[in-house]
Amino acid sequence: MKRYRVAVIGTGYIGVVHIEQLLRLPGLEIAGVADRDMNLARTVADRYGIPRVYADAEEILQDGSVDVIHNCTPNNLHFEINSRAMEAGKHIFSEKPLALSAAQSGQLVQLAQKQGCVTGIGFCYRYYPVLQEAAARIARGDIGTVYNINGCYLQDWLLYPTDYSWRLDPQMAGASNIIGDLGSHWCDLAQFISGLKIEEVMADVRTTLPVRKRPKHSQALTFAGATDTEYEEVPVELDEYGAMLLRFEGGARGTFTTSQLAAGRKCHIDIQIYGSEGSIAWNHERSAELWIGHRNEANQVFFESPNLQVESTRKYAKLPSGHPMGYMDAMLNLFSDFYTAVELKEAGREPGYRYPDFQAGHDEMLVLEAALRSKKNGMWSRVQT
Ligand code: SOE
């Protein structure tokens, strides 16, 4: 097998998550990293024994020995790095959102086709083993016709006016904070698990705290809170609360609520899918368990298992039964599917499994834009195709 040379651009919270999982995968080496903050890039490279710190993203794009780029930069840099990586003939794994607009993400999908690049996007939550299992069971008809999909994604790290992040700055984050960020994860889960596309959206999106105190000398790292004691007041336009009514293809209805002001909720993802013959539900705080609901018999709790899952999803349950996997392992599963797709592509073959590629990223941009249109005009909005 070829040994792929990988470079990671962006060494903040999510860049480090990528690095730690890349180090667990066979058949690749991390050639180097880059970050606007050189000191951070150096510290991270030293910590993980990564041989090279590139001067910037440009130097990575020019390096012909790099096969794959992981784009872990803030949102405003996604489009440019993703497109330039593909133009340079590299495979590309991007953090979400794929770009700042659906027009841009559509261009990226087309470019990937033209260049024959393998693409991936960070919708990691679908890689908990029992969520792969849920998708397979629903596809084989276990819960019948899907009627409703309901849930939420709640966090609390932006609760106080002194919590500030680049995610609240439209120059860096784009037109939305929370619907684009947490909403895209949840909508990806809903569509992946149910196998149904979201067709229409009615959204209520709010900036609950329109003025925040931004630290003068530092920025809060995601989930960390600020350490600075000097602040300046800044107006905030982007959302940290959102609710959506959803209409799925075939008629299923959905509801989704998201907030980063939900005290005590750190990464609370909940999804419930109700069908004509039964239901399934999952919560991130008990991520190894799938709840299976019945009308006429006792409900079940299915624990992830390499023995008991259906054939196609066993590979994602990597530990012996009774040993729960976690977020890092879900990322590993995602990268594993992505790198298998890279290997297959180079052998002239296509993967026979579904994994989140740039089309999945584009689909979420289309849902986001429908939500933002609905926020503006107060009406149902169709997701464009
Ligand atoms: C912040 O809300 C964040 O880091 C998201 O950007 C990630 O995608 C999510 O996995 C955890 O929360």
Side-chain angles (χ1 to χ4, degrees):
M1 186 174 80
K2 181 177 167 190
R3 202 166 164 79
Y4 296 107
R5 282 173 55 78
V6 181
V8 178
I9 308 179
T11 53
Y13 153 69
I14 200 67
V16 169
V17 171
H18 281 233
I19 288 167
E20 291 196 356
Q21 300 327 301
L22 289 168
L23 290 170
R24 291 172 71 189
L25 274 175
L28 55 89
E29 65 188 88
I30 304 184
V33 294
D35 194 286
R36 253 191 308 204
D37 179 346
M38 258 298 207
N39 287 333
L40 178 65
R42 257 190 225 112
T43 308
V44 169
D46 287 350
R47 194 187 316 147
Y48 294 101
I50 296 168
R52 180 159 176 196
V53 175
Y54 289 86
D56 50 23
E58 189 58 41
E59 208 178 30
I60 293 181
L61 291 163
Q62 302 292 337
D63 183 345
S65 77
V66 168
D67 305 298
V68 186
I69 289 180
H70 282 237
N71 184 359
C72 299
T73 60
N75 305 359
N76 59 325
L77 301 176
H78 289 178
F79 176 73
E80 193 188 345
I81 292 175
N82 292 343
S83 48
R84 301 232 6 246
M86 291 191 284
E87 278 157 5
K90 301 182 191 305
H91 303 298
I92 173 87
F93 190 102
S94 174
E95 266 308 321
K96 31 112 289 263
L98 196 45
L100 291 182
S101 68
Q104 287 183 341
S105 57
Q107 281 178 42
L108 291 173
V109 171
Q110 282 177 4
L111 188 59
Q113 274 159 8
K114 180 171 159 240
Q115 297 291 94
C117 300
V118 177
T119 61
I121 184 152
F123 291 135
C124 52
Y125 296 105
R126 47 159 118 168
Y127 277 94
Y128 282 99
V130 294
L131 289 186
Q132 293 285 329
E133 179 74 4
R137 287 180 182 225
I138 288 176
R140 78 177 181 196
D142 279 21
I143 67 166
T145 304
V146 174
Y147 289 155
N148 301 327
I149 307 179
N150 310 105
C152 61
Y153 190 165
L154 307 172
Q155 298 181 337
D156 69 1
W157 65 284
L158 290 177
L159 177 62
Y160 299 131
T162 46
D163 296 323
Y164 191 82
S165 158
W166 64 263
R167 290 195 175 280
L168 296 167
D169 174 359
Q171 301 295 326
M172 292 180 82
S176 165
N177 161 39
I178 201 162
I179 299 283
D181 186 11
L182 305 191
S184 71
H185 274 305
W186 192 91
C187 291
D188 177 68
L189 278 186
Q191 297 189 91
F192 168 72
I193 300 171
S194 69
L196 302 173
K197 289 261 180 244
I198 296 170
E199 289 186 332
E200 282 184 285
V201 179
M202 165 79 100
D204 180 21
V205 181
R206 184 181 185 209
T207 307
T208 318
L209 300 179
V211 177
R212 284 187 183 253
K213 294 179 194 305
R214 182 169 58 194
K216 272 198 171 154
H217 308 290
S218 68
Q219 268 223 27
L221 276 177
T222 309
F223 296 115
T227 48
D228 217 313
T229 46
E230 277 190 78
Y231 298 99
E232 56 195 349
E233 289 209 335
V234 287
V236 173
E237 281 165 39
L238 295 191
D239 47 320
E240 11 66 349
Y241 170 84
M244 297 202 277
L245 295 179
L246 303 165
R247 289 179 179 157
F248 290 82
E249 65 181 309
R253 297 297 200 259
T255 56
F256 168 63
T257 313
T258 185
S259 168
Q260 281 156 328
L261 313 178
R265 300 300 191 190
K266 308 300 173 191
C267 195
H268 184 94
I269 311 173
D270 190 78
I271 186 157
Q272 308 174 18
I273 307 192
Y274 297 98
S276 56
E277 308 295 328
S279 48
I280 63 117
W282 178 86
N283 188 294
H284 192 221
E285 287 164 7
R286 298 180 76 98
S287 63
E289 296 174 10
L290 190 67
W291 183 87
I292 303 172
H294 303 287
R295 158 81 180 251
N296 290 330
E297 57 189 270
N299 299 330
Q300 297 166 299
V301 176
F302 180 87
F303 200 88
E304 66 192 16
S305 163
N307 312 108
L308 302 177
Q309 293 194 198
V310 302
E311 187 74 37
S312 63
T313 76
R314 282 182 192 173
K315 64 177 175 182
Y316 302 109
K318 291 204 161 62
L319 294 172
S321 296
H323 295 74
M325 291 171 55
Y327 172 75
M328 291 295 203
D329 305 300
M331 290 296 278
L332 182 72
N333 276 337
L334 166 58
F335 291 171
S336 181
D337 266 9
F338 172 75
Y339 279 94
T340 305
V342 170
E343 232 182 297
L344 288 168
K345 183 78 179 188
E346 302 218 335
R349 293 162 55 208
E350 294 297 323
Y353 52 86
R354 287 190 293 157
Y355 73 99
D357 57 7
F358 276 11
Q359 181 63 51
H362 179 50
D363 289 348
E364 294 318 322
M365 286 303 302
L366 292 166
V367 172
L368 169 64
E369 291 201 345
L372 295 177
R373 277 196 306 277
S374 168
K375 173 200 171 190
K376 209 164 170 185
N377 63 21
M379 318 245 295
W380 280 96
S381 176
R382 252 200 117 63
V383 177
Q384 282 164 0
T385 47

